[in-house]
Amino acid sequence: MRWAETWRGGYGAFVRSPETVERLAAAAERLVRRGAWPDEEAVYRLVAAADRLASAAMWMVAHMTYARRVDLSGAALPAEAFKASPEGHTGGSLNMAPAFVGYLLANALSGGTRSWIMGQGHCVAAVEAVNALTGDVSPGQKGRYDRSEASLSQLASDFYSYAIGPDGRPAVPLGSHSGPETAGAVSEGGYLGFAELEYVHMPLRGEGLVAFLSDGAFEEQRGSDWSPRWWRAEDSGLVTPIMILNGRRIEERTEIAQDGGECWLDGHLRLNGFDPIPIDGRDPAAVAWAILESEERLKRFTADRERLYPARLPYVIARTVKGFGFPGAGTNRAHNLPLEGNPRTDEAARATFNAAAAALFVPPGELEAALGALATHDLQRRPLESGHPAARRAPADPTRPVPSWSAGPQSPMQAIDEWFVPFIDANPGLRVRLGNPDELRSNGMGRTLERLRHRVNRPEPGLPEAVDGAVITALNEEAVAGAALGNKGGLSLIVSYEAFAVKMLGLLRQEIIFARRQREIDAPPQWLSVPLLATSHTWENGKNEQSHQDPTLAEALLGEMSDTARVLFPIDANTAVAALRGVYGGRGEVACLVVPKRIVPGLVDPVAAEALWARGAAVIHGDLAAADIQIVAIGAYQAREAIAAAARLERTGRRTCVTALLEPGRFRAPRDEIEARHTASTAELEEIFPERLPRLILTHTRPEPMLGLLRRLDGGPRRTRALGYLSRGGTLDTPGMLFANRCTWAHAAVACADLLGDAAGVLTPGEMAAVRGEAHPRILQVSPPEGSPL
């Protein structure tokens, strides 16, 4: 068989464009000249094999949507073989099948396994179909999905089966989106557009990565236009973004299609620094050629000693029609269920399905021969695609220097800054990405900024900017968070105003969910934990109005599983550094640290700070054993007010103690066995929060969600109260914010006295009038209680 002629003649739904034929001929000649393959026939044998795998994958995608089983004889399926309620993002998955096979083909042709990420995670059927056909499945899928008729039938039956186990978890190793059970997946891709923000930061130098992107996501999430601004040959691997340009959203055409389609997109990409490569997205050979061509262009740029940034980053436009290769292609129906009826109950729909499936069917013997040709991994000594570099991130444990501890009042952000620079210097082998939408210097991280510098293409003299800077700054919270979260092979940090960081929540949650599900299947992620410093926060950002006074992010993250989403409230400089240092000792966690940037009192020494990190809570004032009431402080300003309240209570004969609660999630009622390993036992809870004591919770957040989280500490309304942010604010300073939200030391002292059953004599008449709103709050500021650190 002459493979070149066979391939040029097309196969099934695949028809060769003259452009693709010409491009592949040049690529084959180049591969032979470089010694990658003995002759061009060997190249075309691989390319023809990819056709057969792609067609079989599309056949399988159609069955996963509609059928309960498959028939490897190619016979038409009867009514009872179809699902009563078909489901699946079929059109996008049909488009992804040739694209993903094109990625496998590029790896085989070049002899290297690139990483991959798929932004449109709902197209997972394509990846799962290819993985099952090639045998490259995850550990949880081994023995369940292979190329046998029974296993492929199981794959079709499992897809959207909604099966649930006794433990409340999905009962099949297959979901509606990419998951940890999807071999090689590194992201769920459930939030369209976030892969676009991460991909350019993912590959390390010497690696390659292919990012499959959607035109719908292009419109949903801005920020990926800046990718050429961030890519550097000196510290980045080769990246090949591939947009699947099918022109449709769920119910209508995309704006790209309406504005001019490929021509409009080409111009837009060029204006933003990309080097567009249009291809026929319906042909796996075209996709493979584009990946090789993209890398050739970047290599030529890298080899130029006179290179100037930004690089013209290649960007593949894979034009296709949604649902290509199956009836209903190009219609609104193609998004989900492309047939006009259900084949189980509609004879016409059944006949249409069977005819379309027959056109895509690849006889088992022919498929086996194709898979044998593509199985080059052992010969080329490269990993399977499921083991690509981005899927196996496990950096060495970082060196975490001993801090220069604070001996008095200090800005916790400044203390972090003083520790972070030596931390970076101690780990030169870890690539650094610091995502920052705001102002690092004004947030107390001036030394870090001078050390890392903003990454820019044309540094301005006298400013902390550099072409190779590691600080990724843009007025787009998702984009800068993506820079840090994409850098899983290195050392990352995110710094943001607390209120602005709420805009990062969707991206953070996507990472948290995927990492948590990896833990659930006993394959915990090994990338270094990523901290987010939420500063210029609710209680100290009064000059910028109430829009900047928002503890929502911490509250939302406390709703996620606490073993993977850690939320920390340092109370001073030492606890801030201890917490950040501790986070970097973890793996696969996203940690939000709510950190003041203003100078606050030093409340604990180094030993106590590290103990507070280790246990999650500790007494910072008074004697727990002798106390009549316990004040629980969550946050730096709250700890300060709590100590002041305790001082007044003690002056009037009430025995108190103040316990700083650094990590509230450690003391919640665990929701499963994994979280239980992270949370305090009943004995530990009793030791730190004795059941006998009434307590007041003084929290950085709104009081209601914190009360719900800390149900184990709550003795009911008569024994437990909470004070926190009441969604009141404006142009107010910190004392004003505390007063407006009834969180001053005086409000806390009265609340404690009420819990003890006797509020008389705790405050002076003037102070009590201020607490009641009958006198000016300056009374509470001018006359702080004796012993207060205010």
Side-chain angles (χ1 to χ4, degrees):
M1 180 181 291
R2 292 184 57 81
W3 289 108
E5 292 179 9
T6 299
W7 174 79
R8 282 193 288 266
Y11 186 86
F14 306 128
V15 178
R16 309 300 166 214
S17 71
E19 179 185 57
T20 301
V21 170
E22 181 180 345
R23 286 171 166 176
L24 199 68
E29 188 275 330
R30 185 167 61 245
L31 288 166
V32 173
R33 187 174 67 249
R34 292 178 178 176
W37 292 94
D39 52 47
E40 293 181 14
E41 275 294 287
V43 172
Y44 280 105
R45 178 171 179 253
L46 277 180
V47 178
D51 282 348
R52 285 140 181 85
L53 174 57
S55 189
M58 294 168 69
W59 178 85
M60 193 64 222
V61 164
H63 282 74
M64 290 171 73
T65 295
Y66 285 106
R68 296 170 56 231
R69 66 175 177 84
V70 304
D71 189 326
L72 291 185
S73 73
L77 294 178
E80 61 271 16
F82 291 95
K83 296 178 179 179
S85 299
E87 191 62 83
H89 296 86
T90 313
S93 296
L94 287 167
N95 293 157
M96 266 302 303
F100 194 69
V101 171
Y103 153 77
L104 267 63
L105 176 58
N107 292 342
L109 289 172
S110 62
T113 299
R114 297 158 180 81
S115 295
W116 66 271
I117 185 172
M118 180 173 64
Q120 52 276 51
H122 57 277
C123 298
V124 68
V127 177
E128 297 286 15
V130 171
N131 286 350
L133 292 170
T134 61
D136 189 10
V137 295
S138 66
Q141 295 178 343
K142 284 188 184 299
R144 190 178 185 92
Y145 307 139
D146 57 36
R147 288 192 295 280
S148 69
E149 184 169 287
S151 287
L152 293 178
S153 293
Q154 186 72 65
L155 179 64
S157 177
D158 284 349
F159 192 56
Y160 274 102
S161 67
Y162 302 105
I164 188 170
D167 59 358
R169 295 196 176 109
V172 297
L174 178 70
S176 64
H177 286 65
S178 298
E181 294 281 21
T182 304
V186 295
S187 170
E188 178 189 322
Y191 293 77
L192 282 180
F194 288 158
E196 281 83 347
L197 303 178
E198 291 191 27
Y199 76 83
V200 76
H201 305 284
M202 291 177 66
L204 298 173
R205 190 175 184 186
E207 298 175 356
L209 176 135
V210 175
F212 298 103
L213 312 174
S214 76
D215 47 3
F218 173 86
E219 297 175 358
E220 182 168 334
Q221 176 64 58
R222 293 301 185 187
S224 63
D225 292 353
W226 294 319
S227 293
R229 185 189 302 184
W230 312 134
W231 189 84
R232 297 290 184 269
E234 291 78 6
D235 72 352
S236 303
L238 303 176
V239 291
T240 302
I242 301 178
M243 177 187 282
I244 309 298
L245 186 68
N246 59 35
R248 299 213 68 86
R249 290 195 292 249
I250 296 174
E251 293 184 338
E252 59 183 330
R253 291 186 301 157
T254 60
E255 289 291 333
I256 295 173
Q258 294 176 29
D259 288 342
E262 179 190 326
C263 291
W264 179 89
L265 180 61
D266 184 282
H268 174 85
L269 292 170
R270 291 184 187 279
L271 285 173
N272 284 279
F274 289 100
D275 181 12
I277 305 176
I279 64 166
D280 180 359
R282 299 164 295 184
D283 191 332
V287 174
W289 172 86
I291 294 170
L292 300 179
E293 175 65 18
S294 171
E295 293 184 347
E296 285 294 323
R297 295 184 187 185
L298 276 181
K299 288 175 182 177
R300 286 197 294 269
F301 174 84
T302 301
D304 183 0
R305 294 184 179 181
E306 304 299 321
R307 60 180 179 270
L308 295 175
Y309 289 103
R312 300 293 294 183
L313 200 64
Y315 194 107
V316 180
I317 304 172
R319 55 183 181 272
T320 185
V321 58
K322 193 151 197 172
F324 164 73
F326 201 75
T331 66
N332 281 340
R333 299 191 313 274
H335 174 76
N336 192 28
L337 301 174
L339 298 179
E340 293 194 35
N342 183 352
R344 185 178 179 88
T345 57
D346 186 313
E347 186 176 350
R350 185 162 61 253
T352 301
F353 176 93
N354 282 324
L360 294 171
F361 180 69
V362 181
E366 190 174 348
L367 179 60
E368 287 296 328
L371 290 169
L374 289 166
T376 61
H377 304 81
D378 290 343
L379 179 66
Q380 295 168 334
R381 297 181 180 178
R382 63 183 180 91
L384 295 170
E385 278 67 25
S386 61
H388 64 79
R392 297 181 288 110
R393 293 297 189 214
D397 289 336
T399 298
R400 295 177 290 153
V402 176
S404 298
W405 300 103
S406 176
Q410 188 180 8
S411 158
M413 284 298 295
Q414 181 185 350
I416 283 175
D417 186 45
E418 292 176 357
W419 179 79
F420 192 66
V421 172
F423 177 50
I424 296 166
D425 292 338
N427 295 282
L430 292 173
R431 183 181 65 178
V432 179
R433 287 288 184 273
L434 195 161
N436 167 55
D438 315 310
E439 305 165 274
L440 270 184
R441 198 183 301 281
S442 74
N443 280 327
M445 297 200 69
R447 290 184 62 191
T448 297
L449 179 58
E450 292 294 337
R451 172 65 177 79
L452 295 179
R453 298 180 172 264
H454 292 298
R455 176 164 293 202
V456 299
N457 295 313
R458 291 172 294 279
E460 189 173 347
L463 293 181
E465 299 176 345
V467 170
D468 61 350
V471 179
I472 306 300
T473 298
L475 291 176
N476 179 305
E477 281 70 20
E478 295 94 339
V480 300
L485 292 166
N487 183 43
K488 292 186 173 65
L491 181 66
S492 297
L493 177 67
I494 308 169
V495 182
S496 177
Y497 282 24
E498 181 182 32
F500 294 174
V502 177
K503 291 189 278 184
M504 302 176 185
L505 180 58
L507 177 55
L508 295 170
R509 189 165 184 267
Q510 177 172 271
E511 296 288 344
I512 291 164
I513 291 171
F514 197 88
R516 186 33 149 80
R517 292 196 59 206
Q518 287 179 291
R519 287 187 165 84
E520 291 172 5
I521 64 170
D522 199 26
Q526 294 302 305
W527 41 269
L528 300 179
S529 295
V530 178
L532 160 59
L533 305 182
T535 188
S536 287
H537 64 55
T538 299
W539 300 97
E540 62 183 9
N541 210 2
K543 71 174 184 177
N544 286 318
E545 265 296 338
Q546 195 169 357
S547 62
H548 287 53
Q549 299 154 9
D550 186 1
T552 296
L553 180 68
E555 294 166 357
L557 290 179
L558 283 167
E560 303 301 327
M561 290 297 186
S562 295
D563 51 85
T564 303
R566 305 187 69 173
V567 183
L568 304 154
F569 297 89
I571 60 172
D572 65 1
N574 284 341
T575 52
V577 173
L580 183 64
R581 185 170 181 259
V583 166
Y584 280 121
R587 300 273 174 168
E589 302 165 344
V590 173
C592 176
L593 286 74
V594 182
V595 185
K597 73 173 183 180
R598 302 191 187 282
I599 295 174
V600 297
L603 299 180
V604 298
D605 62 24
V607 173
E610 294 196 312
L612 184 56
W613 158 255
R615 302 193 68 187
V619 173
I620 59 171
H621 174 89
D623 184 351
L624 179 64
D628 297 319
I629 191 167
Q630 182 180 38
I631 305 177
V632 181
I634 305 172
Y637 293 103
Q638 289 66 36
R640 190 176 70 172
E641 298 299 311
I643 292 173
R648 174 57 65 92
L649 289 165
E650 289 160 3
R651 201 176 96 188
T652 57
R654 284 89 166 174
R655 295 179 299 179
T656 65
C657 75
V658 176
T659 298
L661 182 45
L662 175 70
E663 189 173 3
R666 297 273 290 276
F667 298 92
R668 74 184 318 146
R671 291 163 286 182
D672 65 12
E673 67 280 4
I674 301 174
E675 194 171 48
R677 294 195 291 268
H678 181 75
T679 55
S681 66
T682 301
E684 290 169 329
L685 186 74
E686 175 64 23
E687 182 182 353
I688 302 174
F689 299 105
E691 186 177 0
R692 68 176 182 83
L693 287 179
R695 58 182 56 91
L696 172 71
I697 300 171
L698 196 55
T699 177
H700 174 97
T701 66
R702 295 175 181 88
E704 296 86 357
M706 191 58 73
L707 267 176
L709 179 83
L710 298 176
R711 188 67 183 85
R712 296 171 77 193
L713 278 63
D714 186 358
R718 295 183 179 180
R719 291 180 56 79
T720 307
R721 293 187 189 176
L723 303 179
Y725 181 60
L726 301 177
S727 295
R728 299 180 64 179
T731 306
L732 301 169
D733 59 12
T734 297
M737 284 293 297
L738 291 165
F739 183 83
N741 289 281
R742 305 182 191 127
C743 287
T744 68
W745 65 269
H747 292 86
V750 170
C752 287
D754 282 344
L755 284 168
L756 291 171
D758 181 14
V762 174
L763 302 183
T764 66
E767 290 167 344
M768 184 60 76
V771 166
R772 291 172 177 161
E774 300 168 355
H776 200 283
R778 75 167 60 94
I779 295 173
L780 304 180
Q781 298 176 41
V782 172
S783 305
E786 189 176 304
S788 167
L790 286 169

